[in-house]
Amino acid sequence: MVMLVIMAVLSTFILVFVIVQFQMSSRDDLPGRAMRVAQSALSELQVQGWPQSLPVEELKRLKVDDYFVGDHPIARPGSSYREEELRAHLGLADNVAVGVRFFGPRMGRPGDFRELTEFGPPEDGSRPAGPPDADASPQPQRDFGLGQRIMVSIEVSEGTWINLRTTPIKLEGPGPGLLPVAVLVVLMIGIGVWAAMNAINPLRQMAKAANTLASDYTHQPLAEQGPYDVRESLRAFNRMGRRLESTVAGQRQLLAAIGHDLRTPITSLKLKVEMLADANERERMRRALFELERITEAALAAATAGQSGKPFQPLDLFSLVDSLVEDLADLGLAVSFVETDHRPIVMGRSDELTRSLRNLIENAVRYGERASVELSERQGMATIQVRDSGPGIPVDAIDRVFEPLVRLEESRNRKTGGHGLGLHIAKTLVEAHGGRISLENLEEGGLLATIALPLKADA
């Protein structure tokens, strides 16, 4: 992850550097601005036949500070490409002497501009009376005003020179500006989001797989991708999931096999018990065999809970709850169903959901004397609530009662203690349907058991 981020940051800075260099190279071409101003002005003057002078208004329009015709140049003729460019622009013959000099910021390609050691207007602003003395010591260049300006001299006839000096041209070319900064910020944010998603997405998949593994102990192998540490975590999770799935499957098979094998000797013992002559002994053995058979069936149900393999079907939860409550009431249980207008439809197996709800209602009646069942819809979930009037459950035992063979009533009396598998079976079946089950002590007394199941998605 660190190496990826470092490489991405370096790539970003390189890209920003290239953008800055490109923009600065665009600025490097700006000296041509003064040249273009001079070319435009000279083209108009050439059309006018090189007038002797220009009024102030005309000088301002042409962006020229000074223009005059004299017998000496103010810019010594040379042979650089700038002179050739101006000569070609004005259509002058090759033997026409042309001088070009720049003042101010010296930019452009290396070698474009010569050292300016002569030809600036005197301090008093007068025009030069003649050519500079070749033997005179060089004078330092001066920048007349802020920006760049150009001085041009053209020999239009022998001994007659057109001299022109432009106004200072400010170099307001594109600088680095905010574009590189914006690019840097956007790319850095993008890198951060990409790095985070590259690490978070596999972890999200692992969290989803962990929830699935916790609900029904089935493991779907995850793609081992992402940064090194994330890949190692996914690899370890896959190993753990395979091991846990295999262990639980083995335990379920063992428990189911034992349960099936116990049915035969239980049936045989039932037949032998009926042959006992002592009525009291026969009744006592019947109760013992009944309890053994009940525990065996509960163990088988716990081992196969949610593993039937039958496809889910749309279920009218109202009809399911109403029918179950009526059946239990006919059996003498104190249970009631609060009427509602909600008719939630869920996907599931009718027998499994009925069994899980029946276990909750029977527990409510056993420990709380009576049960009240309500049905509602909340935030895309169908909710079934079972209330009782019992003493509730100690807070530290609420999660523990869902574990197999856990009974808060330690008497082992089959009428009050149960076998410790009812809530475990209910939880397993509900979670196999993508739902959840919870218990909560009510302030007014009693226990509230809630089953939440996802509603059927609209087609």
Side-chain angles (χ1 to χ4, degrees):
M1 175 70 75
V2 173
M3 292 299 297
L4 288 173
V5 172
I6 290 176
M7 292 175 61
V9 171
L10 289 177
S11 301
T12 301
F13 277 108
I14 292 173
L15 178 60
V16 172
F17 176 77
V18 170
I19 294 175
V20 172
Q21 290 300 311
F22 174 77
Q23 290 190 331
M24 294 307 294
S25 66
S26 300
R27 184 184 175 95
D28 288 344
D29 291 335
L30 288 174
R33 278 187 165 187
M35 186 67 174
R36 288 194 295 273
V37 170
Q39 289 175 348
S40 176
L42 290 170
S43 295
E44 290 195 30
L45 295 173
Q46 185 181 34
V47 172
Q48 298 176 20
W50 306 117
Q52 292 294 317
S53 62
L54 293 173
V56 175
E57 292 77 8
E58 190 68 9
L59 291 174
K60 289 181 179 180
R61 186 182 68 82
L62 296 176
K63 297 182 181 179
V64 173
D65 268 355
D66 197 7
Y67 167 78
F68 63 95
V69 179
D71 54 0
H72 297 289
I74 61 173
R76 179 172 296 171
S79 59
S80 73
Y81 85 94
R82 290 296 187 184
E83 280 88 353
E84 296 298 329
E85 179 184 347
L86 183 58
R87 187 180 289 109
H89 179 79
L90 297 176
L92 302 176
D94 293 341
N95 60 349
V96 175
V98 177
V100 177
R101 292 294 182 272
F102 282 93
F103 286 80
R106 296 166 60 231
M107 309 174 65
R109 294 173 292 182
D112 276 358
F113 312 112
R114 304 173 184 178
E115 292 295 332
L116 303 180
T117 57
E118 73 288 306
F119 299 109
E123 293 293 339
D124 58 4
S126 61
R127 296 172 180 156
D133 187 352
D135 296 332
S137 59
Q139 298 297 321
Q141 170 191 344
R142 292 195 301 274
D143 179 12
F144 301 101
L146 299 175
Q148 184 192 78
R149 69 198 315 177
I150 189 172
M151 296 173 60
V152 179
S153 295
I154 302 175
E155 189 177 25
V156 294
S157 61
E158 186 175 354
T160 302
W161 292 84
I162 299 298
N163 295 295
L164 177 143
R165 185 174 72 240
T166 65
T167 58
I169 306 298
K170 292 184 178 180
L171 304 180
E172 298 175 349
L178 294 178
L179 178 60
V181 177
V183 171
L184 179 61
V185 171
V186 170
L187 289 180
M188 290 300 293
I189 292 175
I191 291 169
V193 172
W194 170 80
M197 296 302 294
N198 195 40
I200 290 174
N201 282 338
L203 296 179
R204 286 178 176 171
Q205 296 177 8
M206 186 165 65
K208 183 178 180 181
N211 289 330
T212 302
L213 187 62
S215 62
D216 58 7
Y217 300 105
T218 57
H219 173 64
Q220 297 295 332
L222 299 174
E224 298 171 3
Q225 58 187 6
Y228 174 79
D229 292 337
V230 175
R231 291 199 307 272
E232 286 298 308
S233 300
L234 293 172
R235 191 171 294 115
F237 179 82
N238 282 335
R239 288 196 300 268
M240 180 197 70
R242 288 192 295 267
R243 181 75 176 271
L244 181 60
E245 184 180 29
S246 176
T247 301
V248 171
Q251 291 177 346
R252 281 175 169 171
Q253 290 175 359
L254 177 62
L255 187 58
I258 292 175
H260 282 290
D261 291 345
L262 282 175
R263 284 176 173 174
T264 300
I266 289 174
T267 302
S268 177
L269 287 173
K270 281 183 177 181
L271 294 175
K272 292 181 179 181
V273 165
E274 296 300 325
M275 299 178 184
L276 292 175
D278 189 336
N280 291 333
E281 183 67 16
R282 186 167 59 249
E283 184 61 26
R284 188 176 62 84
M285 291 299 295
R286 281 176 180 172
R287 287 197 301 269
L289 287 174
F290 176 77
E291 180 66 13
L292 179 60
E293 186 177 34
R294 193 168 67 93
I295 293 175
T296 300
E297 294 300 327
L300 280 171
T304 59
Q307 304 297 314
S308 68
K310 295 180 181 178
F312 283 4
Q313 299 292 333
L315 299 176
D316 182 348
L317 209 54
F318 177 88
S319 299
L320 185 148
V321 175
D322 185 55
S323 176
L324 175 62
V325 170
E326 285 186 3
D327 291 343
L328 293 177
D330 291 341
L331 293 175
L333 274 66
V335 56
S336 63
F337 181 34
V338 179
E339 290 294 331
T340 178
D341 294 331
H342 294 291
R343 296 293 189 276
I345 304 297
V346 300
M347 297 296 295
R349 305 183 186 103
S350 176
D351 56 339
E352 294 182 354
L353 290 180
T354 299
R355 177 158 196 160
S356 62
L357 180 57
R358 179 173 185 143
N359 287 353
L360 290 182
I361 295 175
E362 288 179 345
N363 267 11
V365 173
R366 180 182 297 117
Y367 299 108
E369 299 181 354
R370 65 182 63 253
S372 174
V373 183
E374 296 182 16
L375 179 63
S376 61
E377 295 182 21
R378 300 177 184 175
Q379 299 178 348
M381 303 289 285
T383 304
I384 306 173
Q385 293 183 324
V386 180
R387 288 180 170 84
D388 64 41
S389 304
I393 294 178
V395 176
D396 58 350
I398 286 181
D399 293 331
R400 191 162 54 88
V401 294
F402 289 111
E403 298 176 5
L405 303 178
V406 171
R407 299 190 300 182
L408 300 183
E409 207 281 333
E410 300 294 341
S411 67
R412 295 292 175 182
N413 186 302
R414 69 182 179 88
K415 292 184 178 180
T416 60
H419 43 65
L421 291 173
L423 290 179
H424 172 70
I425 293 172
K427 182 175 185 291
T428 302
L429 292 173
V430 169
E431 290 182 346
H433 285 73
R436 59 182 182 271
I437 186 170
S438 62
L439 301 177
E440 178 186 357
N441 289 313
L442 299 174
E443 293 182 0
E444 62 273 18
L447 186 71
L448 174 65
T450 302
I451 294 177
L453 296 167
L455 294 172
K456 177 181 178 295
D458 295 332

